[in-house]
Amino acid sequence: MSEGTRLVQVCAEDAPPPRSNGELVFHHPWEGRVFGLAVAAQEAGLFTAEEFRQALIAAITHAPDRPYYGSWSAALQTITVAKGLLDEQSIDQRAHAFRRGIVDDVH
C-alpha cells in the first residue's frame, strides 16, 4: 500500500473523502491540488497519516459547514505551521497574491 493510499484510508476512518463509483471526487482543480500536496508531504515524511487525520478532524470540527477539501487545506496549513515547515505570514502573503491576481501559478 502506498503512503498516499494510507493517508486516504486513515482519514476515511473519521472523515471520508467524497467518492463517486469508488473514485475520489474533486469538484474544482484546487481540491485535487490540496489533496496531492497533503499526500506528497505525508509520503515525504513531513508528517504522519495519523497527524494529518487529527488535523483534519479538528478542521472539520472547527468549521463543519466548510467544503470538505477546504478542511483539507486548513488541516494542511495547520500541520505545516505546527511543524515549522511554513509560517502563517508566508501563507497569508501567497494567498493574498493569488486573490489579487499578482501570482498565477495555476496550470
Side-chain angles (χ1 to χ4, degrees), residues 10-91:
V10 167
C11 290
E13 295 171 8
D14 297 299
R19 291 182 181 266
S20 177
N21 294 322
E23 299 293 323
L24 293 172
V25 174
F26 304 105
H27 297 288
H28 305 284
W30 70 265
E31 294 175 340
R33 288 185 191 105
V34 76
F35 175 83
L37 282 170
V39 168
Q42 189 266 318
E43 286 180 341
L46 301 177
F47 49 80
T48 67
E50 179 60 24
E51 288 172 322
F52 187 80
R53 183 181 77 86
Q54 290 298 322
L56 179 59
I57 291 168
I60 292 170
T61 301
H62 179 72
D65 294 329
R66 175 177 29 215
Y68 181 77
Y69 287 109
S71 292
W72 270 66
S73 181
L76 186 58
Q77 181 172 336
T78 297
I79 201 166
T80 55
V81 169
K83 296 268 186 184
L85 303 169
L86 295 170
D87 60 77
E88 290 281 351
Q89 183 179 5
S90 296
I91 293 169

